[in-house]
């Protein structure tokens, strides 16, 4: 068993981006600029945005954040997004999800300029991804593809089982793993909460990518020897023995599954750091397109 180390890999990627930004500065060019809009006081979202700002500072990007109250109306939020769409100094921006219940997420995503949608959620970017055109890929699937490529994981002709069908991870993951390229050229089965006898699919899989959000769901008896396991799930689980009062658990029963896997991602320290690094890569793409 070998670890797919997202922390180590994301540091390498951020260092590569940092060097590119330094070359922009040496040429007298402006640096890439990433923005984040945060609505409300969700603790996890606040932490995520703070980490994005730290990443920007490290690689030399300019960063902006707009923090709005959770009482803001949908119309007021849309007006702020339109302002950022029209701000030429911003290369890309994200609207941090989830949003308050009174705001229609689909309307918000559709309002973001597709050329600044570095989260890769706009239908235009999703469609381009499905057609294998250059576009902004959703950061988590993008991070997994980058991880598979840099660790030289052979995906061609392999059977990949994706657990979960969200628009952010599962569905784009199934499209990317089946694309004509490397990584890709996989035979993909997309499973979800309504899949019957899910275990029969995972037992046959060469690669399992799980994004279900159920701690410890994937057990050792559900995977075959030598499988590659990518765990996207991350859930807070109460733990009185931990000083923080909780631990972060993935979808995979890591201690037992690692005995059968050829490669496996830890939680935390696997997919999460790669997601953040890919947001920077998407911002760099937006910058280069504009340039």
């Amino acid at each position: 068993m070998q670890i797919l180390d997202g922390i180590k890999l994301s540091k390498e990627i951020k260092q590569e981006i940092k060097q590119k930004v330094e070359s922009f500065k040496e040429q007298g060019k402006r640096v890439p600029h990433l923005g984040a809009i945060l609505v409300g006081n969700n603790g996890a979202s606040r932490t995520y945005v703070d980490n994005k700002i730290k990443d920007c500072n490290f690689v030399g990007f300019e960063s902006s954040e707009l923090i709005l109250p959770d009482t803001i109306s949908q119309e007021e939020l849309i007006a702020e997004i339109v302002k950022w769409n029209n701000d030429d100094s911003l290369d890309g921006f994200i609207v941090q999800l989830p949003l308050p219940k009174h705001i229609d997420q689909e309307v918000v995503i559709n309002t973001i300029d597709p050329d600044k949608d570095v989260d890769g959620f706009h239908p235009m970017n999703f469609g381009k991804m499905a057609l294998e055109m250059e576009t902004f890929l959703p950061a988590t699937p993008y991070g997994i593809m980058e991880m598979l490529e840099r660790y030289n994981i052979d995906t061609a002709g392999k059977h990949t089982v994706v657990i979960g069908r969200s628009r952010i991870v599962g569905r784009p993951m199934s499209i990317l793993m089946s694309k004509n390229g490397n990584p890709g050229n996989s035979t993909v089965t997309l499973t979800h909460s309504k899949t019957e006898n899910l275990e029969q699919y995972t037992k046959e899989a060469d690669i399992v990518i799980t994004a279900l959000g159920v701690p410890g769901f994937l057990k050792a008896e559900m995977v075959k020897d030598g499988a590659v396991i990518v765990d996207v799930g991350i859930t807070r689980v109460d733990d009185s023995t931990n000083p923080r009062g909780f631990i972060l658990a993935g979808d995979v029963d890591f201690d037992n599954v690692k005995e059968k896997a050829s490669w496996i991602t830890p939680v935390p320290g696997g997919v999460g750091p790669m997601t953040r690094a890919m947001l920077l890569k998407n911002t760099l793409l937006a910058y280069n397109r504009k340039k």
Side-chain angles (χ1 to χ4, degrees):
M1 182 276 299
Q2 298 184 77
I3 293 289
L4 292 165
D5 189 340
I7 294 175
K8 175 176 171 284
L9 201 53
S10 66
K11 285 179 179 176
E12 291 174 10
I13 292 166
K14 285 189 280 190
Q15 194 62 46
E16 291 166 8
I17 296 171
K18 185 176 183 178
Q19 289 171 358
K20 288 179 181 176
V21 174
E22 285 170 357
S23 74
F24 297 153
K25 290 178 181 176
E26 288 169 5
Q27 296 169 52
K29 298 175 180 176
R30 70 173 183 84
V31 298
H33 185 182
L34 172 66
I37 295 176
L38 177 63
V39 182
N41 263 331
N42 181 293
S45 294
R46 175 72 265 179
T47 300
Y48 196 52
V49 169
D50 286 346
N51 285 333
K52 285 169 181 163
I53 292 168
K54 286 179 188 174
D55 290 340
C56 285
N57 291 338
F58 177 80
V59 300
F61 283 9
E62 184 180 348
S63 63
S64 296
E65 64 174 335
L66 178 61
I67 302 172
L68 301 168
D70 56 11
T71 53
I72 192 170
S73 70
Q74 181 167 300
E75 291 72 24
E76 288 170 321
L77 175 57
I78 294 300
E80 295 296 341
I81 292 170
V82 170
K83 285 180 192 173
W84 277 26
N85 283 343
N86 296 325
D87 185 344
D88 286 338
S89 74
L90 265 174
D91 296 296
F93 67 93
I94 61 124
V95 178
Q96 184 64 40
L97 304 178
L99 293 166
K101 290 179 180 177
H102 67 279
I103 294 175
D104 188 328
Q105 177 177 299
E106 298 305 317
V107 172
V108 168
I109 289 171
N110 278 282
T111 302
I112 299 170
D113 180 350
D115 290 329
K116 292 188 176 186
D117 167 43
V118 288
D119 257 339
F121 295 160
H122 193 283
M124 186 179 292
N125 289 323
F126 197 99
K128 284 182 175 180
M129 174 191 66
L131 294 170
E132 300 186 21
M133 299 167 67
E134 182 191 73
T135 191
F136 303 119
L137 301 179
T140 298
Y142 189 8
I144 293 169
M145 297 297 280
E146 191 84 6
M147 183 180 275
L148 294 173
E149 180 179 359
R150 292 192 184 221
Y151 274 100
N152 297 311
I153 306 296
D154 185 15
T155 61
K158 303 299 183 184
H159 182 200
T160 297
V161 170
V162 179
I163 307 175
R165 55 182 167 183
S166 74
R167 64 186 293 169
I168 294 173
V169 181
R171 202 172 297 277
M173 202 70 248
S174 69
I175 293 168
L176 291 169
M177 287 299 286
S178 64
K179 75 179 176 68
N180 184 16
N182 178 43
N185 284 318
S186 214
T187 301
V188 180
T189 302
L190 179 61
T191 66
H192 44 78
S193 59
K194 296 290 189 285
T195 300
E196 295 183 0
N197 303 317
L198 191 147
E199 187 174 327
Q200 77 182 43
Y201 299 103
T202 58
K203 278 181 175 177
E204 296 174 357
D206 302 302
I207 302 167
V208 179
I209 302 169
T210 174
L212 201 59
V214 179
F217 172 82
L218 192 73
K219 308 293 186 186
E221 59 269 21
M222 296 172 68
V223 300
K224 71 178 184 181
D225 288 336
V228 176
I229 309 294
V230 178
D231 190 352
V232 185
I234 186 159
T235 307
R236 283 191 178 194
V237 178
D238 291 338
D239 184 350
S240 58
T241 65
N242 189 288
R244 295 187 295 176
F246 66 89
I247 58 169
L248 296 174
D251 287 355
V252 176
D253 178 10
F254 183 86
D255 289 340
N256 293 306
V257 173
K258 72 178 183 181
E259 301 301 325
K260 297 180 77 173
S262 57
W263 293 89
I264 190 169
T265 60
V267 175
V271 174
M274 293 299 294
T275 298
R276 286 167 51 188
M278 293 306 105
L279 186 67
L280 299 175
K281 283 198 78 167
N282 274 342
T283 305
L284 189 60
L285 172 60
Y287 171 87
N288 286 327
R289 278 180 173 180
K290 195 185 258 187
K291 194 172 62 172

